[in-house]
Amino acid sequence: MTLGTLLLDNGLLTQDGLRRATAEQQPGERLDHALVRLGLVSRDDVLRTLSERLHLPIVDLNEAAPDKETLRLLPPRVVFKLRCAPVSRTGRTLRIATSDPTDLSSFDELRIVTGHAVELVLAREDDLQKYIRNHYGVAGDTLDALGGTATSSDSDRTSVDADEAAQAQEASVVRLVNDLLVEAVRERATDVHIEPYEDTLAVRYRIDGVLVDAGVPETISRFRNAIVSRLKIMANLNIAEKRRPQDGRITVRVKGQEFDLRVSVIPMLFGEGVVLRILSKSAVLTGLADLGMPPGILRRWNELIQRPHGILLVTGPTGSGKSTTLYASLRTIVTSEVKAITVEDPVEYHVSGVNQIQVNHQVGLDFAAGLRSILRHDPDIVMIGEIRDKETAEAAVQASLTGHLVFSTLHTNDSAGAATRLLDMGVEPFLVSSTVEAVLAQRLVRRVCPHCAVRRAPHAGELPPDFGPEPEGGLIEAVGCRECRGSGYRGRVGIYELMTMTDPARELIMERASTNRIADAARRGGSLSLLREDGFAKVRAGVTTLQEALQTAKA
């Protein structure tokens, strides 16, 4: 009996649904995948139906703990080809987990390869994929095909390095790099770190702001130079240059979605290190309302970005979402009647209707030079990627004074520190006080995983004195499950601090007052809401944990 017939008999699928799934089934796509994709059945329904009709037990692979000898019985190429994995062994019987037990010929192959009797069990498909990646590594089948199971030696490495350009173009190396990139996208990574050490090659993904091991087999170290060369070729870099840092870009498509990869290659002690920043082209479509700004700050920021002139600054550390906020702001106000020009290093996202300029230091096109030039193009709105020096700061001030609305970023810890930073760069106090209209500081906190989060009563003295009312139902706590890789968190959201300039704050800037005095004056005047307050609000709303809010707001 086919899977469709089994689902029909169980009343989980209608004839119309089966006909629709068969008609819309993509080439090479399994029927159950088509049914789930179209929302006609759930994965669990499929699994339970197969279990009942084929009398196969369902196992939870998160609780499986196979020994190395059991795992070695099935070569990686067979595991990845048949999408199955050994779970346990009893005597000469090998228990193998699968999510598709319908291909009987495949399991005849398993008996021949392992020399054992095979007992099939069922597992959720996503659990099985994670189980295989955890125990056989990302791209384990590709490394196996490359001969990666052999022991690495100096002679091996010499032969591997013999012709890097040719090897980097080999199908197996191409697939290996593609597997690493696809896995990074699947895990929602923002960065991929490839780090060479004396005897190993570390591959790590930054997920929700935290670096985690990618889980690649140790044998990947033998192909370190081929991997770097392949990435250089993809980014149109010079593969023969190993002494100087290089930067480039790669565009990849994963499951119909395009991603821009910013590539940075730096020579290190044991080879070249590579970091890839993954930028989803869909991220530029994010609106201000989707960023997580509290309603009060969102309303005030929307009013500020409608002003005809002045400087609006967004501050925070690297990776805190400043660029995303600026792009969302531009998308809100740019129309056919408004001309906007940006100077960026690098251009992270392409925004429709906005003229974007890439900084090029080799020809003398830096932020200040670009800003001076674009003012002759009659823009209404100007965005400068970052104010790094006095020259850029003064150019931004002049652009504001001549009737332009200027957006930019600064690296400061809080909003009140932005004015002090500009003064330290050498900008005159009267220019800072008369042009800066507001400063938005932001951070990213991790969202608790909705699949495993629990509520608990706060411990005595756990809530900070300024936390406010105790949240209904208690504090949210991150537990950890298979959906969030055991971290307890999944995704991130911004917390925000907005300081609008008032007359008392401008007077303090004229006096070159300290950051604390400016912040105190703004707080008394009601023009400053703190990061900490927004973090606590998101804790009360069950979005994040108290520990995450405290740790992020103080950074």
Side-chain angles (χ1 to χ4, degrees):
M1 297 178 71
T2 65
L3 176 60
T5 306
L6 293 176
L7 293 169
L8 287 171
D9 287 352
N10 276 17
L12 298 171
L13 184 65
T14 64
Q15 284 287 358
D16 288 342
L18 180 58
R19 279 194 292 269
R20 180 190 168 197
T22 305
E24 298 186 30
Q25 194 173 355
Q26 298 172 356
E29 185 181 29
R30 280 170 30 188
L31 178 61
D32 59 327
H33 288 177
L35 290 168
V36 172
R37 175 171 56 81
L38 296 171
L40 298 171
V41 296
S42 70
R43 292 188 188 278
D44 288 338
D45 285 340
V46 173
L47 201 64
R48 281 193 296 269
T49 299
L50 291 172
S51 174
E52 292 168 6
R53 292 305 184 96
L54 301 179
H55 306 290
L56 297 176
I58 299 174
V59 298
D60 184 357
L61 292 181
N62 294 293
E63 299 177 357
D67 57 66
K68 291 184 178 180
E69 291 301 321
T70 299
L71 292 171
R72 286 198 191 103
L73 289 173
L74 216 54
R77 58 181 175 79
V78 176
V79 169
F80 283 86
K81 173 188 170 186
L82 302 182
R83 296 189 179 280
C84 61
V87 178
S88 60
R89 179 179 51 168
T90 305
R92 300 294 298 176
T93 300
L94 185 63
R95 203 175 212 207
I96 293 180
T98 179
S99 62
D100 178 23
T102 57
D103 188 0
L104 299 179
S105 61
S106 298
F107 300 104
D108 290 336
E109 181 180 343
L110 291 177
R111 295 184 185 92
I112 296 171
V113 169
T114 62
H116 285 62
V118 172
E119 177 188 335
L120 290 183
V121 294
L122 295 176
R124 284 173 55 105
E125 186 170 9
D126 51 352
D127 286 351
L128 183 59
Q129 289 176 351
K130 290 179 183 177
Y131 181 88
I132 291 173
R133 289 198 298 270
N134 288 341
H135 292 290
Y136 289 90
V138 177
D141 56 334
T142 307
L143 287 169
D144 192 34
L146 282 166
T149 51
T151 304
S152 176
S153 67
D154 292 338
S155 60
D156 290 333
R157 189 168 295 166
T158 302
S159 64
V160 167
D161 297 346
D163 189 353
E164 293 174 17
Q167 191 181 32
Q169 298 285 40
E170 286 183 5
S172 294
V173 174
V174 170
R175 184 182 170 194
L176 173 60
V177 172
N178 289 346
D179 286 347
L180 293 175
L181 298 181
V182 169
E183 178 68 9
V185 170
R186 184 189 292 121
E187 293 290 345
R188 303 174 298 104
T190 55
D191 302 85
V192 179
H193 293 246
I194 300 174
E195 304 160 327
Y197 297 98
E198 186 172 8
D199 298 314
T200 59
L201 182 72
V203 180
R204 298 190 288 174
Y205 297 147
R206 188 176 293 279
I207 302 172
D208 296 334
V210 179
L211 279 172
V212 296
D213 188 76
V216 295
E218 293 181 3
T219 50
I220 197 172
S221 178
R222 295 184 59 221
F223 307 97
R224 59 174 70 190
N225 290 337
I227 292 170
V228 173
S229 295
R230 173 60 189 163
L231 290 169
K232 283 183 175 181
I233 290 170
M234 294 173 71
N236 294 317
L237 301 179
N238 183 359
I239 65 170
E241 178 57 73
K242 296 176 179 289
R243 300 167 300 172
R244 285 193 252 177
Q246 297 186 70
D247 295 309
R249 297 183 82 111
I250 299 172
T251 300
V252 297
R253 182 178 288 273
V254 179
K255 293 185 177 178
Q257 186 177 354
E258 276 199 352
F259 294 85
D260 276 337
L261 309 182
R262 278 167 37 192
V263 184
S264 176
V265 183
I266 297 180
M268 297 183 178
L269 187 61
F270 297 108
E272 291 177 286
V274 182
V275 173
L276 304 154
R277 167 67 60 87
I278 302 175
L279 304 168
S280 169
K281 291 195 173 183
S282 64
V284 75
L285 302 177
T286 303
L288 280 174
D290 304 319
L291 299 179
M293 285 187 187
I297 289 182
L298 178 60
R299 186 191 70 255
R300 290 162 59 198
W301 184 251
N302 266 319
E303 293 171 356
L304 288 163
I305 63 178
Q306 303 290 341
R307 295 191 177 187
H309 56 78
I311 297 177
L312 300 177
L313 297 173
V314 180
T315 74
T318 301
S320 59
K322 300 187 297 295
S323 296
T324 301
T325 299
L326 288 177
Y327 286 132
S329 301
L330 287 177
R331 289 188 67 251
T332 302
I333 58 177
V334 170
T335 65
S336 59
E337 300 171 351
V338 175
K339 179 166 183 174
I341 305 181
T342 72
V343 188
E344 305 171 61
D345 183 21
V347 175
E348 294 189 357
Y349 301 108
H350 300 292
V351 185
S352 177
V354 176
N355 300 274
Q356 297 174 270
I357 299 171
Q358 169 73 54
V359 164
N360 188 342
H361 296 286
Q362 293 180 344
V363 297
L365 179 58
D366 55 15
F367 286 121
L371 183 52
R372 285 194 301 269
S373 299
I374 64 178
L375 291 181
R376 292 192 286 273
H377 277 240
D378 188 30
D380 299 293
I381 300 168
V382 174
M383 187 183 105
I384 311 167
E386 183 184 346
I387 295 178
R388 299 176 180 171
D389 50 42
K390 179 182 178 182
E391 190 179 9
T392 306
E394 288 181 338
V397 166
Q398 291 303 317
S400 171
L401 292 173
T402 53
H404 300 86
L405 181 62
V406 180
F407 291 95
S408 191
T409 68
L410 269 179
H411 286 292
T412 61
N413 289 329
D414 53 25
S415 54
T420 309
R421 178 64 54 85
L422 292 174
L423 295 176
D424 291 342
M425 287 180 183
V427 183
E428 291 297 331
F430 73 92
L431 292 176
V432 175
S433 65
S434 60
T435 56
V436 176
E437 297 293 334
V439 184
L440 181 74
Q442 67 180 78
R443 300 287 190 278
L444 293 176
V445 295
R446 292 181 293 172
R447 292 178 182 269
V448 290
C449 174
H451 301 281
C452 61
V454 297
R455 291 266 186 184
R456 63 169 176 81
H459 306 308
E462 183 178 8
L463 296 178
D466 57 339
F467 184 84
E470 185 177 316
E472 285 187 30
L475 293 173
I476 199 83
E477 187 171 272
V479 177
C481 65
R482 64 188 174 206
E483 299 293 337
C484 59
R485 297 173 59 108
S487 68
Y489 299 92
R490 186 174 178 84
R492 291 189 290 177
V493 65
I495 58 172
Y496 297 88
E497 169 181 303
L498 178 61
M499 185 184 81
T500 51
M501 285 297 176
T502 59
D503 289 340
R506 295 184 196 278
E507 289 173 6
L508 288 171
I509 292 172
M510 291 290 291
E511 298 172 9
R512 294 183 180 271
S514 67
T515 297
N516 289 337
R517 288 185 61 196
I518 295 173
D520 289 342
R523 288 286 289 166
R524 286 194 301 271
S527 64
L528 172 61
S529 52
L530 299 177
L531 279 171
R532 190 177 175 94
E533 293 171 345
D534 189 22
F536 290 161
K538 286 183 168 60
V539 172
R540 285 192 291 272
V543 175
T544 190
T545 61
L546 178 62
Q547 294 79 8
E548 181 74 6
L550 288 172
Q551 181 176 348
T552 306
K554 74 179 181 181

